[in-house]
Amino acid sequence: MSEPTMTTSATADPRRIVIVGGVAGGMSAAARARRLDERAQIVVLEQGDYVSFANCGLPYHLAGEIVKRESLLLHTAASLASTLNLDVRTGHRVSAVDRDAQQVTVQTEQDSYTLPYDALLLSPGAVGVRPPIEGLDHPAVHSLRTIPDVDAVRDSVHALLSTRTPEDPPHAVVVGAGFIGLEAVEALTSRGVTVHLVELADHVLPPIDAELAPLLAAELAAHGVDLHLSVSAQSIAPIESAHEWDGKSSSGAVVVTLSDGTELPADLVVVNVGVRPASALARDAGLDLGPTGAIRVDADQRTSDPHIWAVGDAVEITHAITGATGPVPLAGPANRQGRRAADSICGHPTIRQAAVLSTAIVRVFGLTAATTGANQATLRRAGIVHEVVHIHPGDHAGYYPGSEQVHLVASFAPDGTLLGAQAVGRAGADKRIDVLATAIRAGMTAADLAELELAYAPPYGSAKDPVNMLGFVAQNALDGTMPQWQAWDLEDAAENTLILDVRSRGEYAHGHLDGVLNIPHTELRERLAEVRAAAAGRDISVHCASGVRSYLATRILLGEGLTARNLSGGWLTLQAVHQGL
């Protein structure tokens, strides 16, 4: 069968650009190509029913915040035809690429046809990782990546709520505490569903540094979410009647059994444990793939075939900090890749491709968690030497009402270059991570952060913005003005140094380490003899609540000829790293 015809105003053999896959990368490329070449025939082949939708908005539609489903549909085949003269064909799956003939084979429900191309762009996206869980095909099990996915979960929730009462709410198990998993948890909880969250890692949101994760765990628990960390889901089995759970009878469609033997009855299960590149089409066409299975592309998104480009979740990218290569399933990079590929296809000068920082953000009820660059675990795996700084400032001037603490962790190279940062807070986390992402892209150092001129008025920030404070603290740590110790060094500090707690007596009474010396920092100068006697020639490890007062104390001790160091992030970080203090 021949391919469907396309109308065009061109009179002489317009160039044909075929794009496989829509959404972020594919549609960005199609729109850009049309703006650069009015005469080109641009055909977009999308195997699903929706060529352009806001997949990042799916959890918020499930929660009811985005009320209208159609708000998620950014464009349709008809709207793209009328505005950009694009030939968009939904329900058309490309099953093969013939590179020699420069044509693709397209499957529809009715038939198949071949479609020639002058330039082919692959934007196949990613597919959800299918974990080894017995019973994963049960109808109660869902994912949350597409419009049909959110339709199914929403309909299931509506049906459950119509038959339950607040005293007997539906139960859901969410497997995977990454970005999508956390968004699903919030959405389901907001609808009145009792949620159990299962995560194989030892903390929620594994991309952030571990010392920030307890803040998110506490927020989840405060909203009734039952956390199961360092365990995996082993099986999902149907149950026919009420099931005994925590001493109460609970009905459900399935019971989810965890690796520690815990059984969780559930009316629905949402599984989102990551994605992998949907690169089978490229592989079968003989295109070069990287070790992760992602499609290898050059700086212009061109594959190993000079007539084929690739963008989005299926392509291999380079991480800006570590130089590691692999897929990064984020909408921002996919959009930029689509634009760059269209420029290359149309012979337009391309902008230098920047390595990816993996900047990302998520809302967890009242908290915001955001990250950019490389976290500490990534830096350690890559063997990159770094200094870690923790601060807990207010998001705006403390004397203006409503200031909220924002918790910031940043890693710096020995020369002061910023390598990565994470933020968690009720306000201001997004603003700071955006600034820090820009700083990493610009190659800024701690000194540069200290000198940044950022907008200040009491409702919005401080004269010394938290970003400036990161720079100040990192400068002091790197140049020796403030020698540091870290929360994970507690055992060594307790065995080999004097730990000096310079908080107030009231703070000390509320909770403290065993065997430490408590001298409020305002009394330190008058009690130096006491410190010398207690230290008995040992180094002194100082701490306060957040690291500010202990910095002052450390400087006093250093000025007196003693060897002292300050706990990065203070008692707040110590409690996060050592749960139960």
Side-chain angles (χ1 to χ4, degrees), residues 264-290:
L264 301 174
D267 299 286
L268 67 111
V269 181
V270 178
V271 178
N272 283 288
V273 294
V275 296
R276 59 177 177 79
S279 55
L281 185 66
R283 179 200 63 209
D284 293 345
L287 300 177
D288 288 350
L289 305 182

Side-chain angles (χ1 to χ4, degrees), residues 256-501:
V256 181
T257 303
L258 307 184
S259 55
D260 63 359
T262 300
E263 292 186 336
L264 301 174
D267 299 286
L268 67 111
V269 181
V270 178
V271 178
N272 283 288
V273 294
V275 296
R276 59 177 177 79
S279 55
L281 185 66
R283 179 200 63 209
D284 293 345
L287 300 177
D288 288 350
L289 305 182
T292 62
I295 306 168
R296 281 202 164 137
V297 294
D298 65 11
D300 289 335
Q301 305 299 135
R302 196 189 301 257
T303 70
S304 53
D305 185 305
H307 302 288
I308 303 176
W309 288 254
V311 300
D313 296 354
V315 305
E316 187 178 71
I317 60 90
T318 300
H319 195 280
I321 306 301
T322 65
T325 57
V328 174
L330 293 172
N335 273 285
R336 293 189 290 275
Q337 292 163 9
R339 178 184 176 90
R340 186 181 305 110
D343 286 350
S344 176
I345 290 170
C346 296
H348 190 78
T350 54
I351 298 174
R352 179 183 65 85
Q353 181 179 14
V356 174
L357 294 175
S358 297
T359 305
I361 191 167
V362 64
R363 187 185 70 189
V364 183
F365 296 105
L367 286 178
T368 296
T371 178
T372 188
N375 62 19
Q376 295 170 53
T378 299
L379 293 171
R380 287 193 295 269
R381 285 195 300 269
I384 297 175
V385 177
H386 58 284
E387 184 79 23
V388 183
V389 168
H390 306 80
I391 64 172
H392 309 277
D395 73 295
H396 62 249
Y399 60 84
Y400 185 86
S403 179
E404 295 278 3
Q405 204 166 44
V406 56
H407 307 269
L408 287 162
V409 180
S411 298
F412 296 84
D415 67 357
T417 301
L418 180 62
L419 302 174
Q422 295 84 41
V424 174
R426 298 192 181 281
D430 54 341
K431 172 181 176 179
R432 272 71 194 203
I433 283 297
D434 281 344
V435 172
L436 293 168
T438 305
I440 296 176
R441 172 66 66 233
M444 288 186 174
T445 65
D448 295 320
L449 296 185
E451 291 297 321
L452 277 179
E453 186 175 348
L454 302 171
Y456 162 57
Y460 301 104
S462 300
K464 295 178 182 178
D465 189 86
V467 172
N468 299 131
M469 293 302 300
L470 274 178
F472 296 151
V473 175
Q475 280 182 304
N476 288 337
L478 291 165
D479 68 14
T481 300
M482 185 188 69
Q484 289 194 130
W485 66 289
Q486 298 290 348
W488 44 85
D489 299 326
L490 177 59
E491 183 177 351
D492 177 72
E495 290 182 359
N496 300 304
T497 74
L498 168 67
I499 298 181
L500 176 63
D501 183 340

Side-chain angles (χ1 to χ4, degrees), residues 44-86:
V44 180
L45 303 168
E46 167 58 47
Q47 66 179 350
D49 294 329
Y50 306 96
V51 71
S52 181
F53 66 94
N55 50 2
C56 294
L58 298 179
Y60 304 102
H61 176 55
L62 176 60
E65 294 177 84
I66 300 175
V67 178
K68 296 182 179 179
R69 179 179 180 274
E70 53 267 30
S71 298
L72 299 173
L73 307 178
L74 305 179
H75 293 285
T76 65
S79 69
L80 290 165
S82 63
T83 59
L84 292 171
N85 191 27
L86 299 178

